[in-house]
Amino acid sequence: MTSGSTAAASPWFVRPQSTRHPARIFGFPFSGSGASAFSAWPAALDDVEVCPVQFPGRENRLGHPHYGTFEELAADLVEPLEPLLDRPFAFFGHCSGALPAYETVLRLAELGLPGPDCLIVSGQPAPHDASRDRMLTMTEPQLRAEVESFVRNRGIEPRPDMIDMGLSVLLRDHVAARTYRRVEPIAIRCPIVVLHWRDDPDVSLDALEGWRQYSDSVDFRALDGGRYAFMDVPDELRKSLTGWRLW
């Protein structure tokens, strides 16, 4: 454990919390994934503390009951999150992870707690357009193939038991994504940065336009790379992840 760190106090956060960083960024993973999606971030973002959020029902929380809905996830996250809101912070949500990130911003505001200085959403249409996600229409065999492709592209030869486990998590997450409905946009106080990945065939820049209704300050940025490029923290992304501190 490095100097200036304390032991992780909650299963929601897999990394020991630091007292030496001036700001934090909380990462909300996409459907079927967990906090390990952000494993490359701490080395790339040494001036901001990276706090990946570990949703229940996956990875080291596989034995915990699934979170249920995105609204329930946001409500359950507030208590473990509250002690970490003592310095400037941002939320980052990739694909469907952007939706509980947004719901958590709303929940914090309802409770009169500090909100993020910035919400960064990546490759995800706005909440009222969330049902357009192509993956939500896939059959189970198609989703299995998607999980296998993802694992192989990360340089790992997928074992059947690994794929079974990953698919099980993904299917439960998709139930939450399918039932999520935010009919009317509710604007939040902080700026929103919307990231579009140029090589993502499923989410166009036009599909992200709905986010304009969610804040008085919405900045759109197109980045090179595909759906999962965020995991490797390319330089363009790194600027967006740290630039909010300079506003």
Side-chain angles (χ1 to χ4, degrees), residues 42-231:
L45 302 172
D46 56 3
D47 58 341
V48 176
E49 181 185 5
V50 176
C51 301
V53 181
Q54 187 68 294
F55 299 167
R58 72 223 47 238
E59 296 182 353
N60 65 317
R61 300 191 68 186
L62 193 61
H64 295 193
H66 190 268
Y67 55 79
T69 68
F70 290 155
E71 294 89 345
E72 290 169 335
L73 175 59
D76 290 343
L77 177 57
V78 167
E79 183 176 351
L81 189 63
E82 187 173 358
L84 305 179
L85 307 182
D86 60 343
R87 62 201 65 195
F89 67 94
F91 284 169
F92 173 94
H94 180 69
C95 288
S96 61
L99 303 175
Y102 167 75
E103 289 295 328
T104 304
V105 177
L106 294 183
R107 187 66 175 169
L108 291 172
E110 289 171 1
L111 297 173
L113 294 170
D117 292 79
C118 183
L119 171 63
I120 305 170
V121 297
S122 169
Q124 171 61 47
H128 66 280
D129 292 328
S131 61
R132 298 180 184 180
D133 188 340
R134 180 185 68 89
M135 288 189 69
L136 298 180
T137 67
M138 286 184 173
T139 64
E140 189 168 323
Q142 289 173 325
L143 289 172
R144 178 179 290 274
E146 188 81 12
V147 174
E148 289 177 349
S149 175
F150 171 77
V151 172
R152 284 198 176 93
N153 287 338
R154 302 308 297 175
I156 303 170
E157 185 58 31
R159 303 187 315 270
D161 62 327
M162 178 191 301
I163 300 305
D164 288 345
M165 183 177 298
L167 181 62
S168 175
V169 173
L170 180 58
L171 289 173
R172 290 195 295 269
D173 287 355
H174 271 197
V175 171
R178 287 193 189 96
T179 58
Y180 179 70
R181 292 290 181 272
R182 175 64 68 180
V183 179
E184 295 292 335
I186 297 179
I188 58 178
R189 296 177 182 176
C190 69
I192 300 175
V193 174
V194 182
L195 305 180
H196 166 64
W197 297 93
R198 293 189 177 99
D199 298 331
D200 184 348
D202 298 321
V203 183
S204 67
L205 186 57
D206 287 344
L208 303 174
E209 282 290 321
W211 283 106
R212 293 191 185 278
Q213 302 177 58
Y214 287 80
S215 174
D216 290 337
S217 174
V218 182
D219 182 19
F220 289 80
R221 302 178 186 178
L223 282 61
D224 291 334
R227 178 184 288 266
Y228 303 114
F230 83 96
M231 297 174 67

Side-chain angles (χ1 to χ4, degrees), residues 2-7 15-24 48-51 84 86-87:
T2 59
S3 175
S5 296
T6 59
R15 292 177 55 80
Q17 261 58 69
S18 167
T19 58
R20 65 182 180 85
H21 290 89
R24 294 185 170 111
V48 176
E49 181 185 5
V50 176
C51 301
L84 305 179
D86 60 343
R87 62 201 65 195

